[in-house]
């Protein structure tokens, strides 16, 4: 918004170095190389009650509008036209645009999540302007615009800047004619019609709206393949077929005051989509995404949806994104979590959301919110399939009867990190793990951690609260099954050898 906050009138220049122009027919727009054209100047209006939304008014007094009309039959682009405010009493959101900063340029997002695009190549696309989602790397720059301030504001822009288009007044006038004022539509995936729905226009800003009332969803990647749970009940990958039950994921919402934007995704096998700390390939940045049923629901199974137009990115707690890989094996059809470092792979973290089933709430029954108990309070000795079955789709059931939960398992929770060969631990960025432990001895804990980590010959260490240094754990474990935070240091590491030299072992 900083591009528009200080200006009453601007010019928008596309990647083709052409300016957005309002044609003399007062209905259409196109691109022109003539920066001095009067129609290339647009007056900026801020939408009342909506932070981050603007309208652009042409020299003819008409507003830049994202319509629902196809630019060409069979093509994805929709027409961008000029409309007056009186033409938009039933759909005022069509003339509202949300600036999204991209470096030193902006993208203008429409009401349905598409972006204002300056087209190129051969006619009829040449010099045309549509709103669309670029699907190819070569057209990603077509939705980027440079904003140029107009030094001398024309008189018509000064007049327009004094006007305000009050949405509430327009609604009152519309209601006075004997018709009710329709609400602003909720943005849905690839919405293509002006459907009047009873929700606020501000709902268009949140990625959680893709999941808010969803019971089960499918996630479709940039490669037009679906995220599927492998039948080994451990790995995940991509597949063309979205009809299989393995492509369906149950949506759960994390509980807690700071979890309004956090979800979990559970496979048909009752296991959670998990961002593990295991590298997918040695020497590569991507880490494995698995199906797991942890004893405790930690941050590794939590995902934060981030909206990107009409698609979403799923972010882990430490800033990585769920990524659908392409290319040659072993990357082909694999799924990792990573941060794309190349422009060609930026789209690999974008997902289309298909809502398969919706969550219906009646007046008498409300959908139960998911609690940590559904995967934490189970008997560790029971088979995984039984525990998965008992907790499958827990939030979708609603009953008046009393549900008896299994007794809490005895033992303590051990949170741990694994030090590298130098003995360093990056606890701020590397996600830790946890397990339940029954016992009080250090030797028992050491053997258990060797099983959990798969590393033979480790030293269980704790951090001194005074100086933050690591020291080997030598005494009995704290009483009353108190939770512990430890670090597994390999004996072969530099720090492990230092402990041996200092005779701390």
């Amino acid at each position: 918004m900083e591009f528009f906050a200080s200006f009453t009138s601007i010019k928008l220049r596309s990647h083709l170095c052409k300016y957005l122009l309002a044609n003399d027919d007062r209905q259409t727009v196109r691109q022109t190389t003539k920066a001095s054209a009067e129609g290339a100047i647009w007056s900026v209006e801020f939408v009342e009650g909506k932070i981050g939304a603007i309208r652009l008014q042409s020299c003819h007094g008409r507003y830049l509008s994202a319509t629902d009309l196809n630019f060409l039959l069979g093509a994805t682009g929709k027409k961008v036209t000029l409309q007056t405010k009186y033409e938009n009493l039933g759909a005022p959101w069509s003339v509202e645009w949300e600036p999204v900063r991209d470096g030193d340029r902006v993208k203008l997002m429409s009401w349905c999540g598409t972006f204002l695009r300056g087209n190129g190549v051969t006619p009829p696309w040449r010099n045309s302007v549509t709103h669309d989602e670029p699907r190819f790397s070569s057209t990603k720059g077509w939705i980027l615009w440079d904003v140029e301030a107009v030094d001398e504001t024309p008189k018509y822009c000064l007049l327009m800047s004094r006007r305000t288009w009050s949405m509430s007044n327009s609604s009152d006038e519309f209601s006075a004619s004997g018709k009710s004022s329709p609400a602003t539509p909720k943005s849905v995936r690839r919405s293509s019609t002006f459907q009047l729905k009873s929700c606020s226009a501000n709902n268009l800003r949140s990625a959680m709206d893709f999941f808010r009332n969803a019971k089960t969803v499918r996630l479709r990647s940039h490669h037009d393949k679906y995220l599927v749970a492998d039948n080994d009940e451990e790995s995940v990958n991509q597949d063309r077929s979205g009809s299989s039950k393995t492509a369906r994921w149950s949506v759960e919402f994390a509980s807690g005051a700071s979890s309004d934007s956090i979800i979990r995704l559970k496979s048909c096998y009752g296991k959670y989509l998990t961002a593990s700390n295991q590298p997918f390939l040695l020497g590569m940045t991507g880490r494995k995404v698995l199906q797991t049923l942890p004893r405790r629901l930690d941050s590794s199974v939590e995902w934060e949806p981030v909206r990107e137009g009409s698609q979403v990115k799923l972010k882990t707690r430490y800033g990585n994104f769920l990524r659908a890989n392409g290319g040659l094996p072993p990357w082909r059809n694999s799924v990792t979590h990573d941060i794309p470092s190349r422009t060609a792979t930026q789209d690999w973290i974008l997902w289309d959301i298909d809502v398969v089933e919706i969550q219906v709430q009646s007046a008498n029954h409300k959908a139960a919110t998911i609690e940590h108990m559904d995967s934490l309070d189970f008997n560790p000795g029971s088979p995984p399939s039984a525990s998965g079955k008992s907790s499958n789709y827990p939030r979708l059931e609603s009953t008046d009867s009393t549900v008896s939960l299994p007794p809490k398992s005895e033992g303590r929770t051990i949170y741990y990190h694994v030090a590298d060969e130098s003995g360093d631990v990056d606890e701020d960025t590397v996600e830790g793990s946890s397990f339940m432990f029954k016992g009080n001895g250090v030797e028992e804990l050491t053997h258990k951690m060797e099983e959990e980590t798969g590393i033979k010959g480790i030293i269980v260490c704790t951090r001194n609260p005074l100086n933050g240094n690591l020291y080997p754990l030598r005494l009995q474990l704290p009483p009353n099954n108190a939770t512990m935070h430890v670090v597994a240091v390999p004996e072969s590491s530099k720090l492990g050898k230092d402990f041996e030299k200092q005779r701390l072992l």
Side-chain angles (χ1 to χ4, degrees), residues 427 462-471 487:
E427 299 181 15
T462 57
R463 198 173 291 281
N464 189 316
L466 299 178
N467 56 22
N469 294 333
L470 292 174
Y471 291 94
V487 175

Side-chain angles (χ1 to χ4, degrees), residues 279-291:
F280 180 73
L281 288 176
L282 290 177
M284 300 297 179
T285 58
R287 297 188 178 274
K288 288 183 179 179
V289 175
L290 305 171
Q291 305 174 64

Side-chain angles (χ1 to χ4, degrees), residues 97 104 119 140 184 186 195 199 253 258 386 421 458 485:
W97 302 86
D104 58 352
N119 300 309
K140 286 297 179 182
T184 306
K186 181 179 180 179
Q195 298 178 3
C199 57
F253 296 92
S258 59
E421 290 300 319
I458 63 172
H485 296 263

